Amino acid sequence: MDRNYVDFRLAPDDISAIRFGISPGHELCHAVRVLQRPEDHPLQWGWLRAVRGRLPRESFELLAVLIGVDGYMPDFLTADPRWDLEPEEEAAHLAAAPVAPMLVDLHKMVLRSSGARQQAILRMIDEPERARAMIAEAWSEVWAAALAPVWTQLERLLRADIAVRARRAATSGLAAMVGELHPRISWNDHAVRVQLRLHREALDCRGSGLVLVPSVMSGAGCMVLTEPPVQPSVFYPAQGVTETWARDSAGTEAALGALIGPARAEILLGAHTARTTSQVAAALGIAVSTASHHLAVLRDGGLVTSTRDGARMLHLRTPLGEALVGAVL
């Protein structure tokens, strides 16, 4: 039986060609799909129970028309994935999306739709600037209701997945790491190969590189971005996603606290950004000497790293620390 593959070809000597990123916009688009077909996403039922009653109906319906329930989704809805991409940047990117590429995406959606949905997209094409403003506003409203309350938990899972993958690449090589991303993703003669249902393509990524993007909301499937000007990207399911992933941070802190103690759990949870010893002490309301002791224990356990910045010492979670935080979500 014939199979369709997208091959992202890379230079054999360029180990920096593959990098990782996150995409808040991709998560939101898939959240809209989960809300349309909840029966297909049992791992999201805990999140669904919390979010359904607070959705802004008109904004959600607009995004649902645009995104659909499966297959292709408009590229202009998301910015290029980056390690440090924030939801606010995604929203700003969408509000300022160039009209010409947006129209190309909308025409693709016309071909993939029918009936009332197709007519709604055609109306967007008739007034693209107005449509862009409405879509950007709907994006922000649905984000605030659906994902903003759980973004901390969701982002921890994404970063924990990336930390584990990066560690695997460093210890076992790119081929081994890529081969473990998903059953439909493999390393094939200096190329990342993704098996898809309908699309077949070979893309030369030498010079541009490839971004690997974990996803919590996308379920068990994979997606790719291949068309310029977007950065070539492969989206794959993040590991460690369970039906309780969306529980509040208090539950996560309690679980970590049972492992390493409440104070160290709070320090580790806050170590996703670099902080000084004084900042850690102030956040916990403890003495600097006490904070320094807890940080030393976490550092000795390989959960945080401490680097000097002039007279200051900055503390940040290590890949092992990311994996531990992600494991208790």
Side-chain angles (χ1 to χ4, degrees):
M1 181 174 65
D2 290 339
R3 292 183 175 180
N4 292 312
Y5 295 103
V6 174
D7 284 342
F8 296 88
R9 294 174 180 165
L10 302 162
D13 58 346
D14 186 3
I15 61 173
S16 66
I18 291 182
R19 54 193 183 275
F20 289 92
I22 63 173
S23 174
H26 181 83
E27 296 302 308
L28 183 62
C29 288
H30 276 285
V32 170
R33 290 184 167 178
V34 170
L35 285 158
Q36 293 179 83
R37 285 187 175 175
E39 66 277 9
D40 294 341
H41 304 277
L43 293 182
Q44 306 300 343
W45 287 352
W47 168 77
L48 280 162
R49 282 192 293 270
V51 73
R52 273 184 149 171
R54 59 177 183 245
L55 276 177
R57 191 183 69 177
E58 290 186 5
S59 291
F60 170 74
E61 289 175 353
L62 173 60
L63 294 185
V65 164
L66 191 60
I67 294 167
V69 295
D70 60 15
Y72 172 80
M73 64 178 69
D75 292 340
F76 75 89
L77 291 174
T78 60
D80 285 341
R82 297 198 322 267
W83 169 258
D84 57 350
L85 185 61
E86 297 290 341
E88 296 79 12
E89 293 180 79
E90 286 269 39
H93 163 84
L94 178 56
V99 169
M102 184 183 82
L103 287 173
V104 172
D105 291 350
L106 290 177
H107 279 290
K108 290 179 183 178
M109 298 310 297
V110 168
L111 297 176
R112 292 166 169 80
S113 60
S114 60
R117 182 186 177 210
Q118 186 179 71
Q119 292 304 309
I121 298 172
L122 286 170
R123 288 193 293 272
M124 296 180 195
I125 291 173
D126 288 339
E127 299 183 82
E129 289 84 0
R130 180 172 180 270
R132 181 181 60 186
M134 292 175 61
I135 294 165
E137 182 178 1
W139 193 102
S140 295
E141 289 184 357
V142 175
W143 175 271
L147 289 190
V150 295
W151 179 241
T152 297
Q153 299 95 300
L154 196 154
E155 187 181 21
R156 283 176 187 153
L157 276 172
L158 299 177
R159 295 194 184 282
D161 179 275
I162 291 172
V164 172
R165 308 295 186 185
R167 189 180 187 92
R168 177 65 164 155
T171 57
S172 302
L174 285 177
M177 182 274 290
V178 168
E180 294 177 352
L181 291 175
H182 189 271
R184 293 182 179 272
I185 301 176
S186 60
W187 181 264
N188 184 62
D189 191 23
H190 304 302
V192 175
R193 169 168 284 186
V194 183
Q195 183 183 344
L196 298 176
R197 270 192 311 154
L198 302 174
H199 187 57
R200 179 190 295 264
E201 185 177 359
L203 194 68
D204 189 348
C205 295
R206 290 173 293 184
S208 63
L210 174 65
V211 182
L212 300 177
V213 190
S215 176
V216 169
M217 301 301 297
S218 64
C222 299
M223 289 188 67
V224 301
L225 292 177
T226 63
E227 295 187 18
V230 300
Q231 174 72 41
S233 304
V234 175
F235 297 84
Y236 65 91
Q239 59 185 356
V241 180
T242 69
E243 66 277 4
T244 62
W245 75 263
R247 68 183 177 183
D248 61 29
S249 57
T252 303
E253 190 171 325
L256 273 179
L259 290 172
I260 60 177
R264 291 168 194 161
E266 191 172 350
I267 291 172
L268 189 61
L269 285 173
H272 60 287
T273 57
R275 297 186 297 176
T276 66
T277 307
S278 296
Q279 289 171 327
V280 170
L284 271 67
I286 58 177
V288 171
S289 59
T290 305
S292 181
H293 169 72
H294 287 313
L295 285 163
V297 173
L298 292 170
R299 185 168 55 250
D300 290 344
L303 300 178
V304 301
T305 183
S306 302
T307 56
R308 185 165 296 282
D309 179 28
R312 308 183 306 166
M313 190 71 78
L314 296 175
H315 311 283
L316 187 67
R317 277 201 302 254
T318 64
L320 179 61
E322 295 281 4
L324 178 60
V325 169
V328 299
L329 286 169

